[in-house]
């Protein structure tokens, strides 16, 4: 007897989507569920098993196991497959989940630069002036080893991007960028990069697939830190890389298996649970962020506000073209590090803590971190707007600013 269990995107995960496309607000609720069977569960099981019943093998062949048959939990787990089915559906590709956002980012960079045999080094990476500090550290490490040449440009400036693309292998775009809230034109960069044969990867953690879908805009790979808005409760680390290209998808799955950067089944289940409410959480947080950004601009202690939802923000036009909303993240500058630290410490409704995208609103001065880019102003505070009442958030924050 042989017991077969299909691989990551096998048939046991029924996509409930009828052929007519539905709104993403519906898909976020319906995608990645088990097939509708009488007496069957609505939610996927949490499969806690490291090994699986073996398939039949031909004893005369050197190796006969079909790659789609799962035998060990570092290769695939049903609970990942459910989450991957949902995230792939939302972003328009095939998803691979990882143990963290950084694991997804590392695998994506590694695959883009080094897959397919010996390559001449250094490999050329074009990226922005600032990005998530963990990504920046990884790029710096590749540079220090002589494996990559890192070309930093203003990704919102098409001429700078075009000049840097000569000989490039990978363009790394964070959109909107962390923590400056710069908004690059993903379609224009993808066109220009593909013309020189470079791969385009977009970290769309701040946007989420409900606001921007880079693959639809022409990018090759989208990554998210699912630790943030996708899971939404500041209680689980997870990352995901999505691509529409089957060879890249297979390469990322191979990277995950060999690096061992695998998420736990319970964590995958938690992210899928959080994902169900993404649309309502984002709508609430974004509505509050829009109000807060407008009010912050008029506060006498504030020297600058960056929020792509403000009509005169440098990222507004591009956001309107490529996204369905500005999201929940705001960058606020005051007149220096001391004032910014005082504001963050004085808040009582906002929590002074790092990270973002949870139900609770967070505030933090980014330059307190050693790894933060020197292009980030010392008095810049990153605000992650959560789900509290907007008037309580405003009273707390404006009070903290008044006192600072
Ligand atoms: C948090 C974050 C990451 C890293 O994700 P982890 O899940 O913490 O590893 C990457 N990119 C962006 C934009 C982030 O905000």
């Amino acid at each position: 007897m042989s017991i077969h269990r299909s691989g990551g995107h096998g048939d046991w995960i029924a996509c409930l989507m009828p052929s007519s496309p539905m709104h993403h607000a519906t898909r976020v609720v319906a995608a990645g569920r088990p097939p509708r069977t009488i007496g069957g569960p609505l939610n996927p099981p949490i499969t806690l098993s490291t090994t699986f019943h073996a398939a039949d093998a031909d004893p005369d062949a050197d190796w006969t196991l079909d790659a789609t048959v799962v035998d060990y939990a570092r290769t695939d787990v049903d609970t990942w497959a459910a989450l991957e089915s949902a995230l792939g559906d939302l972003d328009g590709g095939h998803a691979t989940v990882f143990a963290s956002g950084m694991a997804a980012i590392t695998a994506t960079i590694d695959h883009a630069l080094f897959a397919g045999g010996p390559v001449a080094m250094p490999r050329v990476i074009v990226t922005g002036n600032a990005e998530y500090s963990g990504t920046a550290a990884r790029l710096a490490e590749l540079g220090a080893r002589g494996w990559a040449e890192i070309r930093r440009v203003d990704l919102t400036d098409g001429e700078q991007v075009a000049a840097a693309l000569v000989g490039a292998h990978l363009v790394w775009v964070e959109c909107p960028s962390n923590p400056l809230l710069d908004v690059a034109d993903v379609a224009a960069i993808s066109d220009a990069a593909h013309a020189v044969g470079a791969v385009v990867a977009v970290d769309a953690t701040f946007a989420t697939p409900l606001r921007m879908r880079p693959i639809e805009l022409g990018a090759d790979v989208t990554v998210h830190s699912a630790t943030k808005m996708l899971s939404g409760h500041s209680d689980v680390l997870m990352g995901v890389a999505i691509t529409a290209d089957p060879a890249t998808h297979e390469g990322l799955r191979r990277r995950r298996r060999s690096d061992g950067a695998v998420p736990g089944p319970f964590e995958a289940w938690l992210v899928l649970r959080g994902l169900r409410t993404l649309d309502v959480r984002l709508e609430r947080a974004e509505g509050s962020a829009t109000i807060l950004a407008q009010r912050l601009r008029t506060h006498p202690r504030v020297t600058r506000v960056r929020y792509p939802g403000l009509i005169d923000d440098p990222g507004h036009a591009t956001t309107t073209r490529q996204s369905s909303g500005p999201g929940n993240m705001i960058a606020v500058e005051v007149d220096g590090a001391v004032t910014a630290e005082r504001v963050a410490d004085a808040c009582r409704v906002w929590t002074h803590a790092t990270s973002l995208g949870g139900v609770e609103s967070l505030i933090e001065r980014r330059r307190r971190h050693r790894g933060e880019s020197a292009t980030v102003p010392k008095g810049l505070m990153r605000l992650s707007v959560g789900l509290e009442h907007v008037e309580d958030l405003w009273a707390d924050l404006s009070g903290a600013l008044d006192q600072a």
Side-chain angles (χ1 to χ4, degrees), residues 100-102 105 132 174 178 203 205-206 225 227-228 237-238 356:
S100 67
M102 276 316 300
I105 288 166
Y132 176 69
E174 216 175 72
N178 182 359
D203 181 338
T205 298
F206 276 26
S225 167
T227 309
K228 314 294 169 53
L237 278 171
M238 183 88 52
L356 55 108

Side-chain angles (χ1 to χ4, degrees), residues 21-277:
M22 289 209 193
H23 294 93
H24 279 73
T26 304
R27 292 154 75 139
V28 84
V29 173
R33 297 209 184 256
R36 290 187 180 199
T37 55
I38 292 169
L42 272 71
N43 294 312
I46 302 172
T47 298
L48 294 176
S49 186
T50 55
T51 188
F52 301 92
H53 292 286
D56 292 337
D58 175 357
D60 295 326
D62 279 345
W63 62 274
T64 55
L65 285 180
D66 181 337
T68 65
V69 176
V70 174
D71 56 357
Y72 190 57
R74 188 156 28 74
T75 308
D76 205 354
V77 175
D78 293 352
T79 322
W80 302 348
L83 176 60
E84 287 171 340
S85 166
L87 292 172
D89 180 72
L90 292 174
D91 250 310
H94 310 291
T96 307
V97 291
F98 289 85
S100 67
M102 276 316 300
I105 288 166
T106 305
T108 300
I109 293 174
D110 221 61
H111 179 77
L113 295 186
F114 305 118
V119 293
M121 299 220 244
R123 306 290 273 168
V124 175
I125 305 176
V126 176
T127 189
N129 285 323
E131 70 266 297
Y132 176 69
S133 53
T135 309
R138 179 68 182 169
L139 296 180
E141 187 184 19
L142 290 170
R145 287 177 177 172
W147 295 358
E149 174 193 331
I150 314 298
R151 294 182 186 159
R152 292 198 170 275
V153 297
D154 177 356
L155 288 176
T156 68
D157 180 334
E159 281 175 23
Q160 280 192 37
V161 173
L165 275 175
V166 181
H169 300 103
L170 169 66
V171 184
W172 189 267
V173 183
E174 216 175 72
C175 187
S177 73
N178 182 359
L180 294 173
L181 275 298
D182 279 339
V183 181
D185 184 331
V186 174
I189 289 175
S190 298
D191 282 350
H194 290 156
V196 301
V199 169
V200 178
V202 179
D203 181 338
T205 298
F206 276 26
T208 85
L210 293 194
R211 289 296 175 263
M212 182 180 73
R213 290 182 285 283
I215 291 168
E216 289 176 6
L217 297 167
D220 301 292
V221 184
T222 299
V223 300
H224 300 282
S225 167
T227 309
K228 314 294 169 53
M229 196 49 118
L230 297 184
S231 60
H233 294 74
S234 307
D235 53 10
V236 56
L237 278 171
M238 183 88 52
V240 60
I242 305 111
T243 176
D245 174 42
T248 303
H249 178 231
E250 193 43 47
L252 289 169
R253 293 174 67 78
R254 224 178 301 120
R255 279 254 59 81
R256 175 178 64 186
R257 189 169 63 232
S258 64
D259 293 345
V262 293
F266 180 61
E267 282 72 11
W269 187 92
L270 270 180
V271 174
L272 187 58
R273 185 192 213 270
L275 191 67
R276 299 302 181 206
T277 55

Side-chain angles (χ1 to χ4, degrees), residues 2 12 21 26 30 103 113 121 125 138 145 175 195 244 246 264 271 289 297 321 339 358-359 376 379 394-395 402:
S2 71
W12 80 271
T26 304
L113 295 186
M121 299 220 244
I125 305 176
R138 179 68 182 169
R145 287 177 177 172
C175 187
V271 174
R297 268 214 309 204
R321 232 177 14 254
T339 310
V359 296
V376 174
W394 175 245
D402 291 339

